[in-house]
Amino acid sequence: MRGMTNLDILVNLSRYALMPFLSLAFLCGIVLLQQFSFLPNPYWVGVLLCCAILILYFFKNPSSIIIASILGFAWALWFAHMQSSWVLPKNLEGKLTTVTGIISSIPDVSNHRTSFLFKLESFNHQKANGFARLSWNDENLHLRVGDKWLLPVKLKRVHGTMNPGGFDMEAWSLQQGIRVNGYVVTSNIVKPKNLHQWHALYVIDSIRQFFRDNIAENLPLSHTSPWITALAIGERKGIDAASWQVLRNTGTNHLMAIAGLHIGFMSAFIYMLVSFLWRRTKFLMLRFPAQHAASLAALIMALMYSAMAGFSIPTQRACFMFSIFLLIVLLRRNIKAWHAWSLALIAVLIWNPLSVLTESFCLSFGSVALIIYGMKGRLAPSGLWWKYARIQWVIAVGLVPLSLWLFKQCSIVSFIANSIAIPWVGFLIVPLTLLGCFVLLFSSYLGGLCLQFADKLLQLLWVILTYFSNLSWSSWYQTIPNTWILMAACIGIVILLVPIGFPGRWFGLCWLMPLFLYQHEKPNTGEAWFTLLDVGQGLSAVIQTRNHALIFDAGPKFGDNFDMGESVVLPFLRTQGIRKVDMLVVSHADNDHRGGANAILQQMPVSEIKTSVPQFFSGFNTSYCLRGETWTWDDVSFSFIYPSMEYLGLGNDSSCVLKITSHNHSVLLTGDIEKMAENYLVSADPKKLLSDIIVAPHHGSKTSGLDAFIESVHPRIVLFPTGYLNRYHFPHPSVVQKYRYINAMMMNTADAGAIHVSFNDLRPVFYREQHKRYWNN
């Protein structure tokens, strides 16, 4: 600092102190872009850079935070344009085309098909980029990561479901660079062809696939064995929904994703081991300091374990922070934890600014920030156990707002569960798992024994976690309805976690009050709200009155690990503040109507089930939905008008038909009835059919839509619950034409997302339109 004035020194120190604020300003610029409903022209990148240069020239030091925000916005804008530069032409969606590219993810075999990511190089012999998520109806392919193929495929653009509280598949796909979904076609015209070219760029994923296959061969299948694979290579496919629920209820789901915690445990172990051995070898000590050697070994361990995890966002953050601390050690300098955190944040955002769209980004950086804030500057008893307990307390309390915002729940038992699970996983299961993977390279038998021992230890831990999960009070379900309540809750947590003795510390509770006192809006007495959820090719609708809630059908189920009851219906109910379902109506047995029912029944109190197929719901308060049954909730009338006893057992034509009337307005829910049932309803009492809104029978299939039925209902609004470019081509053009003839307004969940209608005004609200972002189709 020779030749510098005191003022220069102060300026440099202030810049150093500003680093966390600069990284947050860079982050805010990126987050700002994600609020746009359209993607600004890329020319704005140049304009923004010019603005940043002008601000720097004219305002100098005070402008650094503004410039960081501008640079964050500009970088995210450029990156988003690069990610979305190739778009599948609309007229080629669902058509047979050919693609050339490289298998870029470990193929997953389940439900008699093989799924994988495919790095596109050409599409119909023209240059393409991005990834395609493909499935191949063959489970005996033995595909390898890095192989180049020419494939006949049918593709469509990424188009996820859009619902309040639901997962945004389109945002996640953009962040991952996935541009299309599709499947491989076994065609006589163009056959799949392995081009027998292996790309070294995918050597890490090839190694991961090698370990995945060897673990599968040497570790007997159990309910916990998929987690051993997850802890070894970061692959969490094949894990059932019940297991995820145990982890969510106990707040331990972070333990089953390779992150900074796991990398920290293993790196610390390697550091201590290398340091211990190095200090006892005179030859090595004279040539290189033990601290430096141990630090390098720890970094190598961190990089290797992160590579095994596929360099996920949490591992990126951990590696960047480890690298920074290693550099400081080698240069014999000191660095504040906040500055290391800031540099890691900037590095991850430069690598992929769209990481902000993922939950793991928020949780990874949020939890580390809490630890730094909650542990620094405290006068407290020394000792490892005090620090460990303090960290658990800080994370358990500090992550409550973020958990409620992201997952609509937080675990009440997380402090106890994590206090047991973290050392169990970190000191026993993870080391044994990695040791087993290493030994597999030399001996399948010994490596398998290590993995089996790790699995036995995990099974023992799982008994404890399951016990905590099954406690009726294990989780608190609450929705944070807007960002203002989230911000207030975060401010409250920050104040509560200041050191003991800080004036006004308990004032933080005041900032938390909106979180506890917020009351969800409800319909007035005599009013009803109707929401047709977007569950893809299936049906689920929720009807709310002042004090009651009814679900009509639960959407489809896709294998053992995913269904629309879990991913769409339950998040919607929690978003609306619904804690109990008064009636679940399952119209008939088809999967696209019944598939999600079990998830709802397992996680939400349901007073009564009405269905045409009660044999599927033994053990619950279940009865038939029979014509003539009526009841009233909060001055809103409900009436089953089909089927009668003689029309049960007819499949689609036995579907429950429910009419709801409020404020002289009504909606008719028809399930999958076809023309036979429609004809019966017209013959029995056509006046009962008159309704303002109808959910089209059988999704608008041509097997329904009888002229006399449509004329009798004579709806103002017709809703089609269908999937995007579904294989059945619903709704059928002939049915659409019939509703158009009576001047009905028609809407489709594939285009509109969830559709909400209040019986007060019958003005539909489209969730996709209301919450559109630039990545939504």
Side-chain angles (χ1 to χ4, degrees):
M1 301 178 71
R2 187 176 299 169
M4 296 180 66
T5 66
N6 290 335
L7 180 61
D8 291 331
I9 294 172
L10 288 173
V11 168
N12 284 328
L13 287 174
S14 66
R15 287 174 177 170
Y16 187 64
L18 274 175
M19 187 182 296
F21 297 100
L22 293 176
S23 65
L24 289 175
F26 189 73
L27 171 64
C28 288
I30 293 171
V31 171
L32 177 62
L33 177 68
Q34 314 315 315
Q35 313 311 311
F36 278 54
S37 61
F38 64 95
L39 196 59
N41 193 294
Y43 293 119
W44 277 101
V45 174
V47 173
L48 290 169
L49 291 178
C50 291
C51 290
I53 293 170
L54 290 173
I55 293 171
L56 179 64
Y57 180 79
F58 286 107
F59 298 98
K60 301 198 184 311
N61 293 325
S63 63
S64 55
I65 289 180
I66 299 173
I67 291 173
S69 299
I70 293 173
L71 291 178
F73 186 92
W75 171 238
L77 178 59
W78 182 86
F79 193 92
H81 274 287
M82 293 301 99
Q83 287 284 81
S84 55
S85 59
W86 181 78
V87 179
L88 176 67
K90 271 278 188 186
N91 63 319
L92 292 179
E93 286 189 285
K95 303 290 175 54
L96 181 63
T97 56
T98 57
V99 293
T100 303
I102 304 165
I103 296 173
S104 58
S105 71
I106 299 175
D108 173 50
V109 180
S110 60
N111 298 323
H112 309 292
R113 67 175 61 186
T114 304
S115 304
F116 53 93
L117 283 182
F118 195 68
K119 180 69 175 71
L120 296 171
E121 292 185 349
S122 69
F123 171 81
N124 276 357
H125 309 293
Q126 295 181 348
K127 185 176 175 58
N129 58 30
F131 294 90
R133 188 168 50 208
L134 298 178
S135 63
W136 196 335
N137 284 330
D138 192 335
E139 58 184 342
N140 301 307
L141 292 168
H142 306 295
L143 301 175
R144 295 188 310 158
V145 180
D147 280 351
K148 187 171 182 177
W149 283 77
L150 184 148
L151 298 172
V153 294
K154 288 188 177 181
L155 303 174
K156 59 183 178 182
R157 298 180 183 183
V158 175
H159 190 98
T161 59
M162 288 283 287
N163 299 278
F167 177 66
D168 191 341
M169 173 62 73
E170 294 168 41
W172 178 83
S173 296
L174 177 68
Q175 187 269 332
Q176 296 287 320
I178 300 171
R179 305 301 297 143
V180 289
N181 296 321
Y183 60 92
V184 178
V185 178
T186 305
S187 168
N188 293 324
I189 302 173
V190 183
K191 293 186 177 180
K193 183 179 180 182
N194 189 341
L195 301 180
H196 299 290
Q197 297 178 24
W198 185 79
H199 286 251
L201 182 65
Y202 296 94
V203 62
I204 292 176
D205 283 322
S206 295
I207 294 171
R208 295 175 67 226
Q209 184 176 8
F210 166 81
F211 280 114
R212 195 276 306 268
D213 294 343
N214 276 270
I215 290 171
E217 288 177 9
N218 293 282
L219 179 63
L221 187 64
S222 69
H223 68 282
T224 53
S225 59
W227 292 116
I228 297 297
T229 305
L231 290 171
I233 62 170
E235 283 290 307
R236 294 183 287 175
K237 293 170 180 148
I239 297 168
D240 58 46
S243 297
W244 282 112
Q245 190 61 38
V246 168
L247 296 182
R248 283 195 296 269
N249 287 348
T250 55
T252 53
N253 41 352
H254 64 99
L255 288 177
M256 299 304 168
I258 300 173
L261 178 69
H262 309 75
I263 293 171
F265 270 116
M266 294 309 302
S267 296
F269 172 74
I270 293 298
Y271 180 93
M272 290 186 291
L273 178 63
V274 172
S275 179
F276 175 81
L277 296 175
W278 203 275
R279 292 176 191 277
R280 280 152 182 77
T281 309
K282 184 177 179 181
F283 175 81
L284 297 175
M285 280 293 294
L286 292 173
R287 282 159 178 78
F288 201 64
Q291 184 184 23
H292 292 181
S295 298
L296 282 171
L299 178 62
I300 292 170
M301 180 70 228
L303 289 171
M304 290 175 61
Y305 199 11
S306 298
M308 288 283 281
F311 287 110
S312 62
I313 291 173
T315 61
Q316 290 174 26
R317 189 263 308 154
C319 281
F320 282 129
M321 292 189 75
F322 269 116
S323 301
I324 293 163
F325 280 116
L326 172 64
L327 182 62
I328 295 304
V329 168
L330 294 176
L331 296 176
R332 294 184 173 88
R333 296 289 189 271
N334 291 320
I335 187 172
K336 292 183 178 180
W338 277 120
H339 296 149
W341 179 88
S342 301
L343 289 172
L345 175 63
I346 292 172
V348 169
L349 292 176
I350 289 174
W351 181 262
N352 186 342
L354 301 184
S355 298
V356 299
L357 296 174
T358 65
E359 297 164 351
S360 59
F361 175 87
C362 302
L363 293 172
S364 177
F365 282 96
S367 58
V368 174
L370 279 169
I371 292 171
I372 296 171
Y373 175 74
M375 299 299 293
K376 290 292 182 180
R378 264 64 177 179
L379 293 176
S382 60
L384 181 62
W385 286 109
W386 180 89
K387 291 179 179 178
Y388 174 69
R390 172 73 184 178
I391 288 173
Q392 292 309 310
W393 171 250
V394 166
I395 292 178
V397 174
L399 287 181
V400 166
L402 202 55
S403 296
L404 294 177
W405 177 258
L406 295 174
F407 308 116
K408 315 297 183 293
Q409 76 173 97
C410 72
S411 174
I412 296 172
V413 299
S414 65
F415 178 79
I416 301 173
N418 277 289
S419 297
I420 299 169
I422 287 177
W424 196 273
V425 172
F427 290 125
L428 296 175
I429 296 173
V430 169
L432 276 170
T433 298
L434 295 185
L435 177 64
C437 290
F438 178 72
V439 175
L440 280 176
L441 298 173
F442 311 102
S443 169
S444 296
Y445 175 73
L446 293 177
L449 285 179
C450 289
L451 292 172
Q452 290 173 44
F453 188 32
D455 189 38
K456 293 297 182 184
L457 289 172
L458 183 54
Q459 289 176 26
L460 182 59
L461 175 63
W462 203 259
V463 172
I464 300 171
L465 295 180
T466 302
Y467 169 78
F468 284 124
S469 173
N470 290 336
L471 295 174
S472 59
W473 46 271
S474 64
S475 286
W476 174 36
Y477 292 96
Q478 177 70 6
T479 301
I480 298 181
N482 56 60
T483 53
W484 298 110
I485 293 180
L486 174 65
M487 291 171 63
C490 290
I491 292 171
I493 291 294
V494 168
I495 296 173
L496 284 175
L497 291 179
V498 298
I500 294 175
F502 188 88
R505 181 168 177 254
W506 297 107
F507 183 64
L509 291 174
C510 297
W511 287 90
L512 290 174
M513 293 310 291
L515 183 61
F516 296 98
L517 298 179
Y518 176 82
Q519 295 292 320
H520 291 272
E521 189 178 359
K522 293 182 178 181
N524 296 320
T525 301
E527 181 186 358
W529 291 349
F530 171 79
T531 306
L532 181 64
L533 296 173
D534 179 11
V535 293
Q537 185 55 45
L539 173 62
S540 183
V542 177
I543 299 90
Q544 298 167 257
T545 67
R546 181 69 181 174
N547 299 302
H548 296 84
L550 179 147
I551 302 173
F552 190 96
D553 283 341
K557 180 176 182 178
F558 305 96
D560 294 331
N561 307 323
F562 182 74
D563 66 72
M564 288 299 178
E566 173 85 28
S567 63
V568 172
V569 182
L570 285 169
F572 173 78
L573 296 176
R574 287 165 184 156
T575 300
Q576 300 301 305
I578 298 172
R579 301 182 184 276
K580 186 190 77 165
V581 176
D582 295 280
M583 183 180 293
L584 170 62
V585 178
V586 180
S587 63
H588 62 300
D590 283 3
N591 173 64
D592 58 329
H593 296 251
R594 181 177 60 90
N598 283 337
I600 297 170
L601 292 168
Q602 289 169 10
Q603 299 185 47
M604 182 76 67
V606 176
S607 300
E608 185 179 9
I609 301 173
K610 291 288 186 179
T611 179
S612 62
V613 284
Q615 64 271 22
F616 287 99
F617 302 100
S618 58
F620 297 94
N621 180 21
T622 308
S623 57
Y624 284 109
C625 53
L626 295 177
R627 175 180 173 85
E629 184 176 358
T630 62
W631 69 97
T632 301
W633 286 339
D634 306 313
D635 294 337
V636 179
S637 299
F638 295 78
S639 176
F640 284 116
I641 63 174
Y642 187 84
S644 52
M645 286 296 294
E646 61 269 24
Y647 284 90
L648 294 173
L650 300 178
N652 286 346
D653 271 321
S654 292
S655 296
C656 306
V657 178
L658 177 65
K659 184 175 181 179
I660 304 155
T661 305
S662 169
H663 279 318
N664 298 319
H665 295 306
S666 56
V667 61
L668 189 65
L669 293 156
T670 59
D672 272 357
I673 62 169
E674 298 179 349
K675 290 180 180 177
M676 187 193 81
E678 289 177 343
N679 185 61
Y680 169 84
L681 286 167
V682 171
S683 303
D685 191 349
K687 291 182 180 179
K688 281 189 176 180
L689 294 175
L690 185 65
S691 301
D692 297 285
I693 304 171
I694 185 173
V695 178
H698 203 185
H699 315 278
S701 166
K702 65 179 180 180
T703 60
S704 61
L706 198 68
D707 290 339
F709 178 80
I710 292 174
E711 186 59 39
S712 296
V713 179
H714 209 85
R716 292 163 54 184
I717 299 173
V718 182
L719 306 179
F720 295 104
T722 62
Y724 180 68
L725 294 182
N726 62 87
R727 58 176 176 161
Y728 307 106
H729 306 291
F730 294 157
H732 194 271
S734 64
V735 175
V736 171
Q737 184 58 39
K738 291 177 181 180
Y739 286 113
R740 185 176 288 125
Y741 181 77
I742 61 171
N743 296 318
M745 180 191 301
M746 288 174 282
M747 286 153 280
N748 194 321
T749 54
D751 300 325
I755 302 171
H756 176 82
V757 183
S758 169
F759 279 31
N760 258 358
D761 51 24
L762 289 187
R763 284 187 296 185
V765 177
F766 310 132
Y767 189 80
R768 182 175 286 273
E769 179 183 287
Q770 193 178 50
H771 295 81
K772 181 176 173 57
R773 295 292 184 266
Y774 67 83
W775 55 79
N776 295 132
N777 288 326

